[in-house]
């Protein structure tokens, strides 16, 4: 199982290592040798098992993080006992089935199998069932930590008093709004590869981004295109060129390659246009954006990649350390050899909560435990520094890369840090450049977003722009054959330029019976 697929399980272990940090903190606070009564905590994970790389939230991928976290804490704090329980249901074999069944699964465990003398905590990846899980956990005052699902309601402490999220990658819509505002790109063209059959993330991100752009002051045109159809790709590029110079691409690397080859033929990879792709993080599941396929057109694609930007919704450098790679390999080994048994006894401690409160009250104390974790920084985790916001979500670091011609790779030139501050209901990021080297066709400046012909197309009446020249060039053979007519057209063109402000009736007609406006449409 590749390291990148295990990325979400890395976050899944945050709870264990944060508890380790809490314990050290409490030992410094108490320091009086007072012994606490041993705790018996039940650790509950809902989900399904199965090795399908399209289902990274499967417990088959995430359970190894539970094992390693509990094993290491057991070695450090053997006086406490923890029971780990995995709850599955034959009616929920994959993500789409979980939202409708998870409340029943938790209820069945709570009223039939749960031991009331234990402290119960729900830690699970979750697909899209965060909302019903939150409803159950809040009603029963149980701490809930999800490593994949994070709904907007988590930001409401009244509705989500016990829910925390360690979702590893940032929200695409919030990041795009922040990035586009930071670069002063006020008009963009967004396109989804409609041939995407496997990776649903791109369709999800496309929907989230295009429904939020207007809220952050960005005009956009949205399009779904079959990137296997050359004619559709060229039509999309033509519309893009008239609307913007910034192309937001949602799809696999192969579709971007096809797009770039078509754009090269139209002269749209010379630095005037930017093609911005997005991935949660680089992995086989989402594809690697590269020009190198050992194909005949590699060099042409390499040249076109100078017009590509790649947005990663994590800071991938943070997870490239040797300690993280060693941990990932340990998870790989466990995944290959274990988890025929879904009831694994383990031990863990929640010492800090005890130290702060002088002992735990009867019950699961979910709200109190969640409050003790929120709004804190954990500097010494195996995955590096982690920050939990005041609403209980991870504050993310993200990166933006451009193409380095000398190295032939996409290299990071900007990073952003999420702040524990919301402006107009949106997450906020602080952006900074990480290099002084040229980042764009030998320059340090990205192109503006306004289309080369202007928002109204008037700039191309000068006849000097490349796009107009290409349109004329495609008809050159016909014009040469009709040399007598050329003079007539030239004379008419001069007259039209002299009275450019007069609108002829036919120019007022709408395309396809609908007005064409520069705004948000799908």
């Amino acid at each position: 199982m590749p390291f990148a697929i295990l990325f979400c399980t890395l976050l899944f272990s945050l709870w264990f290592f944060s508890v380790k940090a809490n314990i050290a903190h409490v030992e410094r606070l108490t320091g009086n040798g007072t012994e606490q009564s041993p705790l018996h905590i039940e650790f509950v994970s809902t989900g399904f098992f199965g090795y399908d790389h399209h289902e990274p939230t499967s417990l088959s991928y995430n359970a190894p993080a539970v094992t390693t976290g509990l094993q290491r804490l057991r070695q450090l704090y053997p006086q406490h006992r923890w029971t780990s329980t995995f709850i599955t249901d034959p009616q929920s074999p994959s993500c789409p089935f979980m939202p409708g069944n998870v409340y029943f699964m938790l209820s069945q465990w709570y009223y039939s199998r749960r031991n009331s003398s234990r402290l119960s905590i729900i830690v699970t990846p979750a697909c899209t069932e965060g909302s019903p899980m939150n409803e159950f956990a809040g009603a029963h005052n149980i701490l809930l930590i999800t490593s994949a699902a994070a709904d907007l309601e988590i930001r409401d402490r009244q509705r989500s008093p016990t829910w925390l999220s360690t979702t590893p990658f940032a929200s695409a819509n919030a990041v795009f709004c922040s990035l586009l505002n930071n670069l002063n790109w006020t008009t963009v063209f967004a396109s989804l590869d409609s041939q995407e059959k496997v990776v649903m993330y791109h369709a999800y991100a496309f929907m989230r981004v295009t429904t939020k752009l207007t809220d952050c002051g960005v005009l956009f045109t949205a399009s779904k295109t079959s990137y296997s159809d050359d004619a559709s790709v060229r039509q999309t590029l033509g519309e893009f060129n008239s609307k913007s110079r910034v192309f937001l691409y949602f799809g696999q690397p192969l579709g971007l390659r096809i797009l770039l080859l078509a754009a090269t033929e139209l002269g749209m990879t010379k630095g005037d246009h930017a093609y911005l792709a997005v991935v949660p993080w680089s992995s086989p599941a989402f594809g690697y954006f590269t020009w190198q396929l050992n194909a005949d057109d590699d060099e042409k694609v390499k040249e076109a990649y100078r017009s590509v930007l790649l947005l990663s919704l994590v800071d991938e450098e943070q997870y490239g350390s040797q300690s993280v790679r060693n941990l990932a390999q340990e998870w790989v080994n466990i995944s290959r050899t274990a988890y025929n048994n879904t009831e694994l006894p383990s031990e863990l401690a929640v010492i800090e909560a005890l130290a702060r409160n002088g002992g735990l009250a009867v019950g699961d104390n979910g709200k109190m435990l969640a409050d003790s974790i929120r709004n804190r920084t954990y500097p010494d985790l195996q995955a590096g520094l982690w920050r939990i916001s005041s609403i209980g979500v991870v504050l993310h670091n993200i990166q933006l890369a451009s193409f380095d011609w000398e190295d032939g790779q996409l290299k990071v030139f900007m990073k952003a840090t999420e702040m524990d501050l919301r402006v107009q209901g949106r997450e906020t990021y602080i952006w900074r450049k990480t290099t002084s080297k040229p980042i764009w066709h030998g320059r340090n400046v990205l192109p503006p977003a306004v289309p080369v012909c202007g928002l109204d197309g008037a700039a191309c009446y000068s006849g000097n722009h490349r796009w107009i020249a290409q349109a004329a060039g495609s008809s050159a053979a016909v014009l040469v054959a009709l040399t007598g007519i050329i003079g007539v057209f030239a004379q008419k063109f001069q007259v039209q330029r002299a009275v450019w402000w007069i609108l002829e009736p036919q120019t007022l007609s709408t395309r396809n019976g609908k007005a064409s406006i520069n705004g948000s449409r799908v």
Side-chain angles (χ1 to χ4, degrees), residues 148-209:
D151 195 88
L152 288 177
E153 67 187 74
I154 196 174
R155 310 186 188 288
D156 186 338
R157 295 281 290 275
Q158 297 298 318
R159 296 178 60 189
S160 308
T162 70
W163 189 8
L164 305 176
S165 171
T166 61
T167 301
F169 50 87
S171 172
N173 53 303
V175 173
F176 268 99
C177 278
S178 178
L179 176 62
L180 297 177
N181 288 165
N182 180 268
L183 297 175
N184 197 29
W185 281 347
T186 57
T187 178
V188 298
F189 188 95
S191 180
L192 171 68
D193 186 354
S194 62
Q195 293 300 301
E196 284 289 341
K197 301 297 184 184
V198 176
V199 182
M200 297 302 297
Y201 173 78
H202 298 126
Y204 172 76
F206 175 80
M207 180 270 294
R208 291 292 304 274
V209 170

Side-chain angles (χ1 to χ4, degrees), residues 475-486:
S475 304
V478 177
L479 295 178
V480 169
L482 301 175
T483 54
I485 300 177
I486 291 177

